[in-house]
Amino acid sequence: MDLKFKNSKITGILTILPKREVLFEDEMENYNFSIQKSLKLKSAMGYNKKRIVEEGTTSSDLCVFGINYLFENEILKKQDIDALILVTQTPDYIMPPTSNIIQGKLGLKHDMICLDINQGCAGYIIGLNQAFMLLEQESINKVILLNADVLSPKVSKKDRNSNPLIGDAASITIVEKSTEETKVFSNVKMNGEGAMALQIPAGGSRLPSSPETAIMKEDASGNFRSKDNLVMKGDAVFNFVQTEVPPMIDSLLNKSETNKDDVDYYMFHQPNKFMLNKLADKIGVSRERMPSNIVGKYGNSSGVSIPTTISDNIGNKALNNKYKLCLSGFGAGLTWASMIIDFGHLNFCEIIEY
């Protein structure tokens, strides 16, 4: 599905990372794998370090901390927030909505919209699309898009497929109306037939968590996990990304009448370095213009990896410069989404620690 938005812009991005840092080597002994093979895996996938929360920290904790940072530094005013969108796979509760919890903790006005969206790897693009749609309303001038995932507690420490890469993070993106004539091009696709390629089997209504779902079992590859843990069919996800994302990018470039070389950066979701390098080659862009350094520095924080990539690789340069970015997220759902957007002259673009 192709989407187009006018007269809207991003005016700031803040990424919030937990202070706790874990090295690949710190957990290597947990894997049913030789040291030599583990180090080879580290090199191929670009694993190194990741950031994970302390026990008890939730998605709302990271988001509230980040928004208060913007309030305290007089970058954002409470009364200016007309809508709050939270994209997360790790809500604080099944009920109530976590966006309402955040609104209450911050003491925001009642005359506003709070909205939770359950999306993962493509969640940043899905959230931006929703923010731009809200800005089409006369009464909405500024939307706060929150992306947050605290998935590390859901990953088995003995799962070498997922544990080395999963990190925790949150981001805050300010989206507002623009007095300049702007155009944003986006496309979104979903295939629920493949949804179970990325899943946490237990914990929902279909299979509530119980002592039985917490039992660890070994899979055919020697990984140990329970039904309460994240399970990812790596080969299926890799093939899906390599097959579906390149034609989506070609279509998006064509719809937006953008030449491949006119894009300054391809800021994509970062599952691992190997997958991104292969994707850059298949799309036909240089690996330098598709950064793949985030998963090795902070871990794969699902949809938050896109704003983290922007904050880390562009940062303060976005305050005075303008860039044409191609954004893309792909994974849980199965969902894949992309966007062409002019980006720059921001009020802030930085990373802070929680």
Side-chain angles (χ1 to χ4, degrees):
M1 178 177 291
D2 294 315
L3 303 172
K4 184 178 178 181
F5 307 101
K6 296 181 179 179
N7 304 329
S8 300
K9 62 182 180 180
I10 293 173
T11 58
I13 295 179
L14 179 71
T15 296
I16 305 99
L17 295 171
K19 289 183 179 179
R20 185 181 175 191
E21 186 175 78
V22 178
L23 296 174
F24 178 86
E25 287 80 2
D26 293 340
E27 301 179 316
M28 201 164 55
E29 64 181 19
N30 295 332
Y31 309 136
N32 191 13
F33 225 36
S34 70
I35 292 177
Q36 184 179 4
K37 287 183 178 179
S38 292
L39 291 175
K40 187 176 180 180
L41 178 70
K42 172 187 175 181
S43 177
M45 298 298 180
Y47 300 151
N48 186 24
K49 299 179 288 186
K50 62 181 181 179
R51 299 291 186 96
I52 62 174
V53 297
E54 299 292 346
E55 185 176 353
T57 301
T58 68
S59 295
S60 75
D61 293 331
L62 297 176
C63 292
V64 169
F65 179 81
I67 295 178
N68 275 327
Y69 172 86
L70 297 178
F71 289 158
E72 290 164 5
N73 287 276
E74 299 182 348
I75 299 171
L76 179 65
K77 295 179 180 178
K78 287 187 179 184
Q79 64 269 24
D80 292 341
I81 301 174
D82 300 313
L84 193 71
I85 301 171
L86 171 66
V87 183
T88 185
Q89 300 165 110
T90 56
D92 286 19
Y93 305 96
I94 293 176
M95 182 173 63
T98 305
S99 58
N100 289 66
I101 291 173
I102 293 170
Q103 179 210 27
K105 286 183 177 181
L106 294 170
L108 302 182
K109 65 187 182 185
H110 295 176
D111 186 23
M112 64 177 296
I113 292 173
C114 294
L115 178 64
D116 282 29
I117 299 176
N118 183 352
Q119 269 290 346
C121 312
Y124 188 63
I125 313 298
I126 301 296
L128 284 174
N129 286 336
Q130 183 63 64
F132 291 138
M133 290 179 193
L134 287 174
L135 286 171
E136 292 174 355
Q137 301 301 310
E138 288 185 8
S139 58
I140 296 178
N141 294 301
K142 183 171 291 192
V143 179
I144 309 303
L145 170 61
L146 306 173
N147 290 77
D149 269 311
V150 178
L151 278 169
S152 63
K154 293 294 185 179
V155 180
S156 167
K157 301 302 180 187
K158 295 186 177 182
D159 183 354
R160 66 175 178 273
N161 281 351
S162 300
N163 189 60
L165 64 92
I166 294 297
D168 303 318
S171 67
I172 300 167
T173 303
I174 311 297
V175 186
E176 52 191 292
K177 288 177 178 172
S178 173
T179 54
E180 301 176 7
E181 185 175 340
T182 63
K183 293 180 182 179
V184 177
F185 297 87
S186 179
N187 53 15
V188 180
K189 293 189 178 184
M190 301 192 183
N191 177 13
E193 293 176 358
M196 293 308 187
L198 287 151
Q199 62 165 310
I200 299 174
S205 300
R206 181 68 62 189
L207 181 62
S209 291
S210 67
E212 288 74 26
T213 65
I215 296 172
M216 302 285 283
K217 295 182 179 180
E218 184 178 3
D219 69 8
S221 300
N223 296 296
F224 289 84
R225 66 175 78 88
S226 75
K227 290 184 178 179
D228 292 319
N229 296 140
L230 172 70
V231 56
M232 175 174 58
K233 297 178 182 177
D235 290 345
V237 174
F238 178 84
N239 292 332
F240 147 69
V241 172
Q242 300 298 319
T243 301
E244 300 293 351
V245 175
M248 167 176 271
I249 300 301
D250 287 340
S251 175
L252 181 65
L253 291 169
N254 182 57
K255 289 286 184 181
S256 62
E257 298 181 344
T258 303
N259 187 285
K260 209 172 286 186
D261 294 331
D262 292 336
V263 176
D264 296 298
Y265 290 106
Y266 293 79
M267 298 296 196
F268 284 17
H269 165 57
Q270 295 207 15
N272 59 66
K273 185 176 181 179
F274 177 79
M275 185 183 289
L276 276 181
N277 285 342
K278 291 293 183 182
L279 194 54
D281 295 344
K282 196 151 191 177
I283 292 173
V285 300
S286 68
R287 294 181 178 183
E288 291 73 23
R289 285 196 292 148
M290 188 183 292
S292 59
N293 59 326
I294 295 305
V295 72
K297 293 177 72 173
Y298 312 121
N300 169 3
S301 53
S302 194
V304 191
S305 69
I306 297 176
T308 304
T309 299
I310 296 171
S311 300
D312 187 86
N313 287 280
I314 296 180
N316 287 335
K317 291 185 290 185
L319 306 188
N320 300 311
N321 300 315
K322 293 200 75 171
Y323 303 90
K324 186 173 289 292
L325 302 183
C326 177
L327 314 178
S328 186
F330 31 82
L334 294 169
T335 306
W336 59 115
S338 302
M339 179 176 287
I340 295 284
I341 186 168
D342 290 323
F343 178 87
H345 295 165
L346 305 190
N347 297 325
F348 62 95
C349 188
E350 58 183 295
I351 295 175
I352 61 172
E353 291 186 329
Y354 175 81

